Amino acid sequence: MSKGHAWVLGATGQIGRAAVRALAADGWEVTAASRGGGRDGGWDAGVRTVALDRNEEGALGRALGDGCDVLVDMAAFDGGHARQLTGLAGRIGSAVVISSGAVYEDDRGRSFDTQASVDGFPRYQVPLPETQRTVAPGDATYGTRKVLLERELLAAGGELPVTLLRAGAVHGPYCRTPRELYVVKRLLDGRRRRVFAYGGESRFHPVHVSNAAELIRLAARRPGSRVLNAADPEAPTVAEIASAIDDVLGRETETVLVDGASPEGHVGVTPWSGAHPVVYDMTAAEEQLGYRPVTGYVESLPETVEWLAGELAERDWREAFPKMLANYGAWLFDYAEEDAWLEAYDRERR
């Protein structure tokens, strides 16, 4: 017997693909909506696909027709998207919306928005609960827009119950900004030495797409207005992540650890690097939804590494992952800068 009709917006994105699979397997009739209207090969044959640009005036309402029992939104980013959903409250039973850990600020007002400034990296309590204060809502940054989204949706809880999932560092196949690329590409390029700032101890709590999908599945079953963290069962250090990827590819690498920030330019900086740990508390999800992770970080790596290697097999990384280039820059693989620093480092040790 069907649990009802589930709509997934952003269905062909990294979390969306897994969410569609999880909901269909759980007995929902699923409509997978994306701009291209594409289909993942792993989806059940009963999944219906729809091509939809949610930013086109009235398009979502027309596509929804009589409505759905739950709407899962992977691509809501601001107050406008919140109002789009609340405007359809009469046709949506409940919603599950992906937010971000970027909303948090520490007790001195530091957040991901301030991390580039001197002593600007946030120092959160470990683990970080959902009760931690957030940045002010607004249109200035990704984090402030997500807070605006959250507050407008929560304010409409009486008409539209919404579970907001504050995702950590998302990983798994189909990621547009895969942090693991930093390690995998180096190994495939034959690099046998690497440098990590902060002693390789930086921790930025990841969440695998299947764990995010499990949270979505559980929230769809238990509608309510709530904010929950979304993360894996463990938060490995940068050094632990790199070592695990070495094991997947069967490589041995010498790691040079540097105390504190980068010794020069971007040497030792990774997509996980930070002066203080970012580790999310998953107690609320466990208590409110009965959440149990589907996989752990290390267990999930082989599939991710295989997918990355396939994407890099015939294309330059900048072509394969243009959003990664846009978000971070070409310095991610500035081997000349790294080698120059390592040569100086070796001379000083002689």
Side-chain angles (χ1 to χ4, degrees):
M1 182 177 178
S2 171
K3 287 186 170 61
H5 187 186
W7 253 74
V8 180
L9 285 177
T12 55
Q14 58 188 105
I15 299 177
R17 292 171 187 262
V20 170
R21 286 196 300 272
L23 289 167
D26 202 32
W28 292 85
E29 297 175 31
V30 181
T31 295
S34 63
R35 285 191 176 185
R39 185 178 199 87
D40 185 277
W43 291 347
D44 182 89
V47 172
R48 171 175 171 257
T49 60
V50 173
L52 172 69
D53 181 354
R54 62 102 50 83
N55 293 317
E56 179 185 331
E57 185 68 29
L60 178 56
R62 291 191 296 273
L64 269 176
D66 293 334
C68 62
D69 297 290
V70 62
L71 185 144
V72 182
D73 196 340
M74 310 296 170
F77 291 107
D78 55 26
H81 289 154
R83 292 186 289 276
Q84 181 185 53
L85 297 183
T86 57
L88 296 168
R91 286 189 274 164
I92 301 172
S94 68
V96 184
V97 177
I98 300 298
S99 186
S100 169
V103 302
Y104 292 116
E105 72 174 12
D106 71 10
D107 296 335
R108 290 177 53 186
R110 296 174 297 192
S111 68
F112 289 173
D113 291 337
T114 65
Q115 61 184 309
S117 60
V118 176
D119 193 29
F121 197 90
R123 187 189 290 269
Y124 299 126
Q125 68 181 84
V126 176
L128 177 63
E130 293 88 346
T131 52
Q132 177 67 31
R133 77 188 199 188
T134 68
V135 297
D139 295 318
T141 69
Y142 175 77
T144 63
R145 289 194 294 273
K146 281 289 192 180
V147 173
L148 187 60
L149 168 78
E150 288 188 358
R151 294 194 181 180
E152 294 205 16
L153 288 175
L154 291 173
E159 299 177 347
L160 178 62
V162 179
T163 298
L164 290 148
L165 298 176
R166 291 174 175 168
V170 182
H171 64 106
Y174 302 103
C175 182
R176 295 172 65 197
T177 55
R179 291 170 176 84
E180 289 74 17
L181 177 69
Y182 181 89
V183 179
V184 172
K185 176 172 165 53
R186 279 173 159 73
L187 293 176
L188 295 179
D189 288 343
R191 306 284 292 179
R192 293 295 176 264
R193 301 181 82 190
R194 59 186 168 225
V195 185
F196 289 146
Y198 303 111
E201 292 297 310
S202 295
R203 300 166 75 197
F204 184 7
H205 206 154
V207 58
H208 189 261
V209 291
S210 63
N211 288 332
E214 175 67 359
L215 285 161
I216 290 167
R217 183 187 74 84
L218 293 169
R221 282 186 166 202
R222 302 181 183 182
S225 289
R226 56 173 82 91
V227 176
L228 299 172
N229 288 331
D232 286 345
E234 65 283 305
T237 66
V238 172
E240 289 169 340
I241 289 171
S243 178
I245 295 174
D246 284 353
D247 290 343
V248 172
L249 287 174
R251 309 294 173 88
E252 292 186 5
T253 308
E254 176 192 351
T255 301
V256 177
L257 302 178
V258 178
D259 292 333
S262 171
E264 184 173 333
H266 290 97
V267 173
V269 179
T270 78
W272 301 275
S273 293
H276 311 296
V278 180
V279 179
Y280 300 113
D281 190 341
M282 292 301 296
T283 303
E286 294 166 1
E287 293 178 346
Q288 295 183 36
L289 297 182
Y291 168 68
R292 297 293 181 271
V294 173
T295 189
Y297 186 83
V298 173
E299 291 83 353
S300 72
L301 268 180
E303 182 186 26
T304 301
V305 172
E306 181 182 5
W307 173 73
L308 283 170
E311 293 296 301
L312 294 172
E314 297 181 359
R315 291 189 293 174
D316 182 85
W317 76 274
R318 289 162 291 196
E319 180 186 354
F321 301 105
K323 194 169 188 292
M324 190 78 173
L325 176 64
N327 284 11
Y328 292 95
W331 63 261
L332 279 173
F333 303 107
D334 188 346
Y335 297 156
E337 180 184 56
E338 194 169 270
D339 288 341
W341 183 85
L342 282 168
E343 287 180 15
Y345 170 81
D346 289 340
R347 285 196 300 269
E348 291 176 3
R349 295 178 64 198
R350 291 184 189 129

